[in-house]
Structures are given as C-alpha cells and as structure tokens.
Amino acid sequence: MSELSQLFSNVKQLPVLPILLLELMESFSDEDVQVEEIAKKIGMDQAISAKVIRMANSTAYRRGKEVESITQAVIRLGFNQVRSIVVAATISNVFPETPGFDKNKFWQDTFTTANIAKALARHCKLNQETAFTCAMMHSIGELLLQILKPQECSLIDMAIEMGEPRLSAQRETFGFDYTQVGAELAKHWNFSAVFCDAIEQQLDPLSYENPSKEAILIRLAVFSGFAWGANLPAEMIVARFPPLLTDYLNLNKDGLVEEFAGLIEAGEELGRLIAN
C-alpha cells in the first residue's frame, strides 16, 4: 500500500461533507438545476446562511443595499455566485480547528488565489465561478494533512522556516505533497473531474495530456499571490506570466493590471470572513 493510500485507509478520520454541499458540487454540471429548491435548502442552515450573507455584503460582492436573506442574495448576485460562496462557507466549516495552524492566513491566501483565478477566467472567457471554486479548493490537501498529521506538519513548518520549500519538505516527510492529498480527497468526495483535475494538475498543468484550464488559472493565481506578497508591482507580475500558460488560455491581459490591487483586497476580506 502506498503512503498516500495509507493516509486514506481510515475513512472515519476524513471530513464528511453535508448533503447540501454534494448537491451544490453536482449542480455545476447540471444545466437544469432547480435554483429555488437549492436556495431554500441553503436558507434552512442558519450558520451557513449567516456566513453567506456576510460574504454577500462584503466589498467583493456587494451591489447597492445590503442583503438580509439567501433569497435576496440570489436575486442580487445570481445563483452561480451564491453557490460559490456557499461552497466556500461549507468547506471551511467541514474542517475542524487545528492547534498551531493559522487558519486566518490560510483562508486569506486561499481566497486571494480564488479571487485572482476568477478574474483571470473572465479575461479568457472561462466560467468564473467554476474557476473560483476550483481555486478555493486548491489547498484542501494542506488542511487534511494538518488534521491527520499535525506533528509531522509542525516539523515541516520548521523546515520551511529554515528555507526548505514546502513541496520538497512534504515529499521528503510523507512521500507525497498537498496537491496529491487534495486530489485524492476530492475523488473520495466524488467531485466531478473538473475539480479533481484542477487540484491534481495545478503544479504543472501543461505536462498532462489534457491540461485542465482551471489548473492553469490556479497556477497563475498562486504565482500572482506570491509575487504580490513579495511586493512586486502589478505591472511586473502580469508581464511575467509564463507565455505557455497564457497562450494556452488565450488570456487577454487588457485591464488586468488596474484590477490587481482590488482583487487582492477583496480576496483577503473574503478570507477573513470565512475564518471568522
């Protein structure tokens, strides 16, 4: 049995997804989804509804007056955006607190990546909400490792502080990395191939026979977030996008530089709302 298979051998340790989330994930590929019925189910979960309404009223989504219900959120934002927000809020609730793990930073980084991926999707005419949701889940493997292997993750954090890259530290310690764990978890949850492929391919999407465009968006978004964190200006970040990736997506960069600071700010705000 491989190291990765051993990690998943005890299914009782794995987070269990609510039925609502499974229905939402399936609805991404269902053109005949019953929006009213799903909105009604969302409204029955008070904790998720409250978090979704807070996010819908954030600067990332707000359009005019504040919304006060899921129905208003659907009318204001549209079902696709609300669905992405609900998926994000539900995923964040699935994973328990882990001592010593900075969930605030994790979710801020995650939603910064997701918000950039969504914007990039708009610039290459791909589905923005699918891109957002794929990117929002790109590091779920990291969360699972923190739950199942907290002591080993602490050692990895020490190695990172000493200058070792996270990927190599994880591979040396576990025999696999967070992207492989995330892809396996997505398959365990029976997510569609769109989401599984995006998570699995995110490190080197063009090395696959059928590259996932969502994985390419994740790659560019992660690069952008790291570069911004290193205080590189937006002009330099966009100029340094790998041409092979942008050409594959037929990415139109017009206006992207001007959007950049707002994307980062909105992503960080969504992360704070989710963490709290």
Side-chain angles (χ1 to χ4, degrees):
M1 181 182 293
S2 69
E3 293 94 338
L4 188 58
S5 298
Q6 286 180 336
L7 185 72
F8 283 83
S9 60
N10 188 353
V11 294
K12 292 182 180 180
Q13 290 183 280
L14 301 180
V16 177
L17 295 185
I19 296 297
L20 172 62
L21 182 55
L22 294 173
E23 291 179 356
L24 285 170
M25 296 303 295
E26 290 175 359
S27 73
F28 275 89
S29 58
D30 183 1
E31 296 181 357
D32 300 318
V33 60
Q34 298 297 313
V35 175
E36 296 81 4
E37 185 64 27
I38 289 184
K40 183 178 178 181
K41 291 180 180 179
I42 295 170
M44 293 173 66
D45 189 319
Q46 293 184 354
I48 292 297
S49 294
K51 187 170 284 191
V52 170
I53 290 169
R54 285 201 305 272
M55 293 181 72
N57 286 322
S58 71
T59 55
Y61 290 105
R62 186 162 53 218
R63 307 286 186 274
K65 291 176 59 178
E66 289 193 355
V67 301
E68 298 177 351
S69 68
I70 293 298
T71 301
Q72 289 178 352
V74 171
I75 293 171
R76 175 73 56 78
L77 304 176
F79 173 66
N80 288 334
Q81 281 197 357
V82 171
R83 174 175 55 185
S84 294
I85 295 172
V86 175
V87 170
T90 308
I91 285 283
S92 71
N93 281 2
V94 164
F95 293 92
E97 294 282 346
T98 304
F101 179 64
D102 189 347
K103 74 169 187 177
N104 288 352
K105 184 179 186 308
F106 175 85
W107 286 117
Q108 286 186 40
D109 290 347
T110 295
F111 279 96
T112 297
T113 300
N115 222 38
I116 296 171
K118 179 178 178 178
L120 294 175
R122 183 173 66 254
H123 281 260
C124 50
K125 298 181 179 180
L126 294 175
N127 186 291
Q128 296 177 55
E129 301 308 325
T130 299
F132 178 90
T133 306
C134 286
M136 189 271 299
M137 295 190 297
H138 82 282
S139 287
I140 56 171
E142 182 66 40
L143 279 180
L144 187 60
L145 286 172
Q146 292 288 339
I147 294 168
L148 300 184
K149 300 288 184 181
Q151 293 180 336
E152 291 87 342
C153 286
S154 295
L155 293 175
I156 289 172
D157 287 339
M158 292 174 60
I160 293 170
E161 289 178 4
M162 296 174 65
E164 185 173 357
R166 180 175 296 277
L167 285 171
S168 61
Q170 287 183 343
R171 289 167 181 169
E172 183 177 343
T173 302
F174 299 124
F176 48 77
D177 61 59
Y178 74 93
T179 66
Q180 295 167 286
V181 175
E184 193 64 28
L185 181 58
K187 292 172 185 175
H188 173 81
W189 282 338
N190 293 318
F191 286 175
S192 72
V194 172
F195 300 100
C196 296
D197 291 347
I199 297 169
E200 182 175 13
Q201 296 184 20
Q202 61 180 288
L203 297 180
D204 190 11
L206 294 186
S207 68
Y208 289 80
E209 184 176 353
N210 296 305
S212 160
K213 290 184 176 181
E214 290 75 17
I216 297 175
L217 291 172
I218 292 171
R219 185 69 180 155
L220 291 172
V222 170
F223 166 80
S224 299
F226 275 120
W228 184 266
N231 296 316
L232 292 181
E235 296 88 345
M236 185 178 295
I237 295 172
V238 174
R240 291 190 177 184
F241 281 168
L244 288 176
L245 298 182
T246 56
D247 290 349
Y248 192 89
L249 295 177
N250 195 25
L251 179 70
N252 180 1
K253 297 180 182 179
D254 291 348
L256 190 55
V257 170
E258 291 74 17
E259 297 175 40
F260 221 85
L263 298 176
I264 300 292
E265 181 180 350
E268 289 178 346
E269 181 185 9
L270 290 176
R272 287 191 292 271
L273 289 170
I274 279 289
N276 296 319

